[in-house]
Amino acid sequence: MLARAFEIYGQFCSGHPLEVIVTISTLTVCLLNLDTGNGQMREENLSDAYCHHDRCDTMDLKATNVIVMTIIRCLAVLFTYHQFRNLQRIGSKYILGIVGLFTVFSSVVFTSSVVSFSRSDIADLKGRLIFYLLRINLSKAATLAKYALSARNQEEVKANIARGMSLLGPTITVDTLVEALLIGIGSLSGIRRLEILCTFACLGVIVNYIVFMTFYPACLSLTIEISRGNNNMRQLSADRIFIMQPLNEEDQKPNPVVERVKMIMIFGLLVVHVHRYASPLSFLGASALTNEEVIQLVKHKDIAAYQLEKAVGDMERGVDIRRLVVGNAGKFTEEMIDLPYRHYDYSKVFGACCENVIGYVPVPVGIVGPLLIDGQLYHVPMATTEGCLVASTNRGSRALMKCGVTTRVTADGMTRAPVVQFPDIVRACEAMSWIEQSQNFQELKNSFDQTSRFARLIRIQPRIAGRDLHMRFVATTGDAMGMNMLSKGTERALLTMQTYFPDMEIISLSGNLCTDKKPAAVNWIEGRGKSVVCEAIVPAEDVTFVLKTTVNKLIKLNNKKNFTGSALAGSIGGFNAHAANIVTAIFIATGQDPAQNVSSSNCLTLMEAWGEDGKDLRVTCTMPSIEVGTVGGGTGLPAQGACLAMLGVKGAHPTEPGENAKRLARIVCATVLAAELSLMAALASGDLVKSHLRHNRSSVQISNSMHPTHSSSSSNDGNRLTVPSTSPVS
C-alpha cells in the first residue's frame, strides 16, 4: 500500500510539473518572509522605512511588511507561471529554451545592478528580485522567436529577427517609458519603503529593456544556428512562411489610438516628475530667478524651505535665501548680520549634520601641548570661549613633561537599551532567563552582528521592572561612536527574539537604561563607550616651580573638594575639579556630540604622595564612559577633521578598527589629568581669583598713535585690548 501511495505521488508530480514547481516556489517565498525584518531592512530601521513621524508601532509595520511582501512575491511567481504556461502551448522547445536563457541572463544583470546600485549583500536581493519577475513580458520574446524560427536558412533568420525588432522595438520602447514613469510616481510618495521598492521596480524595467534590445536577438540567432546546423535545418513550407509572417506583422502593428494615449501619458508623467524633482525652477533655471522670486515660491509652498539648497542648486545661496525667509518671518534680519554663513563647505553638512542651516558659529580653537602621552607628544586642540581654560591646561601639560602620562583603555562598549513588555511578570522572567542562556545569547548576537561590518555584541544586561523588561545591549563599534550601529543591531535582535516570544511588545528602542546624554549611575558603574584610566607621577620640583604649590596641599584639597564636597552634593561621577571643561572643548574641536559630555565627563581624580619620603605626587584620572568616535557625524566636517588629523586619529584605523577612537579617548583622559593638576594647584595656592582678575578682567590701554590729531587727554580713553588669559580656570 505504501508503495502504491508513492507511485500515485510520482504520477502526480510528473503529470503536473509546473503546478508542483509553482507550489514549492510559493511556499518558499512565504518562508522567506519569516525573516523579513532581517533581510529587508539592512540599510535602515524598520520604522524609518515606513514612518517619518515616530508614532508608528514597529511590530504593526513588520506585520504589514510580511503580508504585503508575501502577496507581491506570490503574484510574481503566479505571473511567471502564467507566461511560461502560454509559451508551453506554442509547443516549441526552442522558444522555451531561448526565452528561459533570456530570463536567467536578465535576472543576473538585474541582480548585479541591484548590488552595484544599493551596495547590498545577497540577503537583501530576495525582496528586490520580485520586481524583475513582475516586469518580465515573455510574449514579446516568444513573438520574436517565432519570427526567427519561421526562416528557412540562417540568412532568413537574421532578416526575420531584424524585421521583428523593427515591429516590436517602437512599441516596447514606448511601453518601457510609460512603465518606468508610472512606477516612478511611487518614489514621490514620501513613504520611504515604497520609495525603495519603486526605485528597484524601475531598475527592473530598464534592465529588462536593455537586455531584450541587445542580448536577446543575438542569443536567438546564435541558438538557432547551433541547434539546426548547416544541413539539418528544419524546413517550413513556403506557404506556411508566407502566411505566418504577414499574420504576425499584422498582429504586432500598434493601434494608433493606443499609441497616442501612451504618448499623452508619457508627457503628463514627465510633467509630474519634473515638477516634483525640480519644481518651477527647472523650467526657468535657478540662476534666472532672483532671491525675491525664490522667496515668493517658498511662501506659496512651491519650494519647501528645507530644500532650498537643492532647489537653487547652490548651497550657499540656499542658506542666504533661508536667512532672508526666516529673518523676515521672525523679524530678526538685522540681528543675523553678525552670524556668518559665507565660505563654508555646506556639502558636508547637508543631509548629515544639520537642517535648515542659516550659518555657522565660529568658536576659537586653542592648542595645548606638547603633552607627553604614552611616550608620544601631542598638541591637543580645544574649542572654547572660556578664558584661562587653554592656558591652565597648558600649564598642567608643562608640569607633566618630565614624567609623562600613562593611559590604558580598560573597556570598550557602546550601549542601547530597549524596553519591551510582556502579558505578565511570569513571561517577563522567562524572557530574562532565556536571554541569559549562552546559546540564546549567541543567536541574538548573530542577528545583531549581521547588521554591520564593525558592530559586535558583547553582552546583554536585562533588568526587570514589573512586566517590563529593559535590556542593555553592549557592543563594540569600531572607530565610530556607534549609536546608529547599536540601534540597527538592537532592532534586528529584538525581531529575532520575538520569534520565540510572540507575545512580547516592543515599547521603545530606547528605554533610558542606555543611558545617553543624561546623568546616570549605570554609566558611572558599568561604563559606556571607552573606559579609560591614566596616571602620572609628578616630581616634587615640578609641583613647586611649575604648579606653585606643594604635594601635601594638593592631596588635602583633593580629599576635601573632590571627595567630601562631591559626596555632600550627591554627585554621580563628579569626583573631579572640572573634567567637563576639557571634555567639551575637545569634543567641539573634533566633531563629537557635545551633549555626550554628560556621561563622558564622569571622572574620579585621585592624588597621593609617592616616592622617597612621599615627596612626589601620584595623580590618576579614571573615566569610565568617554563616548567618542573618529568617523561619522561631525568628524566629517573639514575643520573638525583637521583637528582629528592633528592628533593622528582622523577616520578609521586602516588595520585595527577601533584603535583611532581608543587613542582619542586616551588623549581626552590625559588632557583632563593635566587640567585637573593646574586648577587644583591654583586653588591650593590661592591664585585663582588673582589670576582671573589679572588676565580675564584686565586690559591694556593703547594710545591711538595712528591719529596725531587727537589730544593727549583723549588718548587715555582710547581702544582697549584684552590680553588672553594664562591663568588657571575656575
Side-chain angles (χ1 to χ4, degrees):
M1 183 177 294
L2 185 61
R4 177 59 179 164
F6 278 103
E7 182 181 355
I8 296 173
Y9 175 76
Q11 290 176 348
F12 174 80
C13 291
S14 60
H16 304 82
L18 288 177
E19 286 77 5
V20 172
I21 292 172
V22 170
T23 301
I24 297 301
S25 300
T26 303
L27 291 174
T28 301
V29 298
C30 291
L31 290 174
L32 288 175
N33 278 279
L34 291 178
D35 67 335
T36 299
N38 293 349
Q40 298 299 319
M41 306 306 299
R42 181 168 300 276
E43 301 299 329
E44 304 161 283
N45 293 335
L46 183 64
S47 57
D48 290 341
Y50 287 95
C51 174
H52 297 301
H53 50 67
D54 298 327
R55 294 193 297 270
C56 297
D57 186 277
T58 304
M59 301 318 299
D60 289 343
L61 294 175
K62 178 179 181 294
T64 303
N65 186 45
V66 171
I67 295 171
V68 172
M69 295 305 297
T70 300
I71 293 174
I72 295 177
R73 286 170 175 166
C74 290
L75 287 174
V77 173
L78 292 174
F79 179 68
T80 307
Y81 161 72
H82 170 72
Q83 296 206 65
F84 273 101
R85 192 69 174 174
N86 290 338
L87 288 176
Q88 193 179 41
R89 295 193 183 99
I90 298 175
S92 172
K93 63 181 180 180
Y94 298 110
I95 294 178
L96 283 173
I98 294 168
V99 172
L101 181 61
F102 162 67
T103 304
V104 171
F105 183 80
S106 298
S107 179
V108 171
V109 173
F110 176 74
T111 302
S112 302
S113 302
V114 171
V115 173
S116 177
F117 181 79
S118 64
R119 303 180 183 273
S120 304
D121 60 18
I122 299 303
D124 292 321
L125 298 180
K126 62 177 181 289
R128 295 165 182 170
L129 285 173
I130 60 172
F131 295 108
Y132 173 75
L133 296 177
L134 284 171
R135 172 62 189 90
I136 293 175
N137 187 352
L138 299 182
S139 62
K140 300 296 184 184
T143 301
L144 191 60
K146 285 193 290 185
Y147 271 106
L149 289 169
S150 66
R152 289 167 295 189
N153 54 59
Q154 190 61 27
E155 291 302 318
E156 282 192 15
V157 169
K158 297 177 182 177
N160 286 358
I161 290 176
R163 180 59 179 166
M165 291 296 292
S166 69
L167 291 172
L168 298 175
T171 303
I172 293 175
T173 301
V174 173
D175 290 345
T176 300
L177 284 173
V178 172
E179 290 178 21
L181 291 171
L182 190 60
I183 296 171
I185 292 178
S187 65
L188 312 181
S189 64
I191 302 174
R192 181 60 176 158
R193 181 64 167 166
L194 182 59
E195 290 176 350
I196 294 173
L197 299 183
C198 289
T199 299
F200 286 102
C202 288
L203 185 60
V205 170
I206 296 171
V207 168
N208 190 73
Y209 174 78
I210 293 173
V211 173
F212 181 86
M213 299 299 290
T214 55
F215 169 79
Y216 181 63
C219 179
L220 186 62
S221 176
L222 182 61
T223 304
I224 294 176
E225 181 179 1
I226 294 174
S227 62
R228 288 181 172 180
N230 293 329
N231 300 320
N232 298 321
M233 291 187 69
R234 180 169 58 85
Q235 301 296 324
L236 291 175
S237 63
D239 58 339
R240 185 175 179 185
I241 296 171
F242 179 78
I243 294 171
M244 178 182 291
Q245 287 184 329
L247 179 62
N248 287 339
E249 291 182 12
E250 188 66 29
D251 291 340
Q252 298 306 317
K253 287 182 179 179
N255 187 315
V257 177
V258 174
E259 292 301 297
R260 184 174 299 177
V261 171
K262 289 180 180 178
M263 295 305 295
I264 294 173
M265 288 180 63
I266 290 174
F267 177 77
L269 291 170
L270 280 172
V271 171
V272 171
H273 282 272
V274 169
H275 178 77
R276 170 61 177 84
Y277 283 111
S279 74
L281 296 179
S282 62
F283 300 103
L284 301 175
S287 59
L289 294 177
T290 66
N291 286 358
E292 286 300 324
E293 290 170 332
V294 176
I295 291 172
Q296 290 302 315
L297 292 174
V298 174
K299 290 181 178 179
H300 289 87
K301 302 189 183 304
D302 291 316
I303 302 176
Y306 66 89
Q307 289 186 332
L308 277 168
E309 291 89 344
K310 182 179 178 181
V312 301
D314 185 326
M315 291 194 173
E316 186 172 296
R317 185 184 175 206
V319 173
D320 188 11
I321 295 173
R322 183 179 294 111
R323 288 165 63 97
L324 296 173
V325 172
V326 300
N328 291 331
K331 295 180 173 54
F332 48 75
T333 301
E334 293 185 2
E335 285 76 4
M336 283 196 297
I337 292 176
D338 289 331
L339 177 64
Y341 71 96
R342 294 192 182 279
H343 312 301
Y344 191 85
D345 187 2
Y346 290 106
S347 64
K348 304 290 186 181
V349 177
F350 188 72
C353 295
C354 187
E355 300 78 41
N356 286 336
V357 177
I358 60 171
Y360 57 90
V361 176
V363 180
V365 177
I367 195 74
V368 168
L371 177 58
L372 184 60
I373 307 173
D374 297 319
Q376 183 174 347
L377 292 175
Y378 290 91
H379 290 81
V380 184
M382 293 171 55
T384 181
T385 56
E386 180 177 351
C388 296
L389 180 60
V390 173
S392 175
T393 309
N394 223 15
R395 184 175 75 149
S397 68
R398 290 201 309 273
L400 296 168
M401 273 302 295
K402 292 181 182 178
C403 59
V405 184
T406 302
T407 67
R408 290 294 184 271
V409 175
T410 59
D412 182 10
M414 184 48 65
T415 65
R416 172 59 82 197
V419 54
V420 299
Q421 190 174 76
F422 293 89
D424 49 49
I425 63 170
V426 175
R427 285 292 282 169
C429 291
E430 288 176 359
M432 182 175 179
S433 300
W434 184 87
I435 293 171
E436 292 172 341
Q437 296 177 22
S438 60
Q439 68 273 18
N440 298 329
F441 168 78
Q442 188 61 43
E443 184 170 356
L444 295 179
K445 175 178 170 58
N446 292 338
S447 297
F448 184 102
D449 293 354
Q450 288 173 5
T451 62
S452 170
R453 291 181 297 160
F454 302 106
R456 295 295 178 264
L457 186 63
I458 301 173
R459 61 185 176 274
I460 301 175
Q461 300 167 315
R463 297 287 187 272
I464 287 282
R467 60 192 183 105
D468 296 339
L469 181 62
H470 293 253
M471 295 173 284
R472 193 170 192 256
F473 285 70
V474 184
T476 57
T477 55
D479 283 305
M481 186 271 290
M483 287 303 299
N484 290 335
M485 290 185 187
L486 262 294
S487 296
K488 287 198 299 183
T490 299
E491 184 177 65
R492 178 70 59 82
L494 289 179
L495 295 177
T496 299
M497 184 177 174
Q498 204 164 38
T499 61
Y500 293 92
F501 296 91
D503 54 352
M504 182 182 80
E505 178 186 358
I506 300 176
I507 303 298
S508 173
L509 191 61
S510 175
N512 272 10
L513 183 61
C514 311
T515 296
D516 190 39
K517 303 176 185 176
K518 291 169 284 291
V522 67
N523 293 338
W524 174 243
I525 297 170
E526 299 287 348
R528 189 173 196 253
K530 275 63 177 176
S531 299
V532 186
V533 60
C534 67
E535 72 172 359
I537 300 177
V538 187
E541 59 269 22
D542 289 329
V543 174
T544 301
F545 296 108
V546 179
L547 299 177
K548 310 298 183 182
T549 187
T550 66
V551 170
N552 289 334
K553 284 184 177 180
L554 283 173
I555 294 173
K556 182 177 181 180
L557 175 62
N558 192 65
N559 290 333
K560 302 299 183 183
K561 172 182 169 65
N562 290 341
F563 295 162
T564 306
S566 297
L568 290 173
S571 177
I572 298 176
F575 299 93
N576 58 81
H578 68 147
N581 257 332
I582 289 74
V583 170
T584 306
I586 297 178
F587 272 27
I588 294 174
T590 59
Q592 311 303 311
D593 188 340
Q596 289 188 321
N597 78 81
V598 176
S599 293
S600 299
S601 299
N602 284 339
C603 177
L604 173 63
T605 300
L606 298 174
M607 295 183 182
E608 56 183 316
W610 197 256
E612 184 180 354
D613 300 327
K615 293 187 302 182
D616 300 331
L617 175 70
R618 176 185 287 270
V619 56
T620 67
C621 285
T622 305
M623 304 182 69
S625 49
I626 302 178
E627 300 157 333
V628 292
T630 57
V631 296
T635 64
L637 297 175
Q640 288 81 343
C643 291
L644 288 170
M646 290 167 55
L647 297 171
V649 295
K650 182 180 180 181
H653 195 281
T655 58
E656 300 179 51
E659 284 304 308
N660 278 352
K662 289 179 181 178
R663 194 199 305 185
L664 178 58
R666 291 190 287 111
I667 291 171
V668 170
C669 189
T671 311
V672 167
L673 188 147
E676 290 285 277
L677 267 180
S678 184
L679 175 56
M680 294 295 286
L683 289 169
S685 63
D687 288 338
L688 180 67
V689 175
K690 288 186 293 184
S691 298
H692 273 277
L693 290 176
R694 184 171 65 251
H695 296 294
N696 277 19
R697 304 295 183 183
S698 65
S699 62
V700 177
Q701 305 239 345
I702 301 178
S703 61
N704 199 336
S705 59
M706 299 296 293
H707 301 280
T709 57
H710 289 185
S711 65
S712 59
S713 60
S714 63
S715 67
N716 293 330
D717 297 323
N719 297 328
R720 294 186 176 186
L721 174 65
T722 301
V723 178
S725 170
T726 56
S727 66
V729 66
S730 60

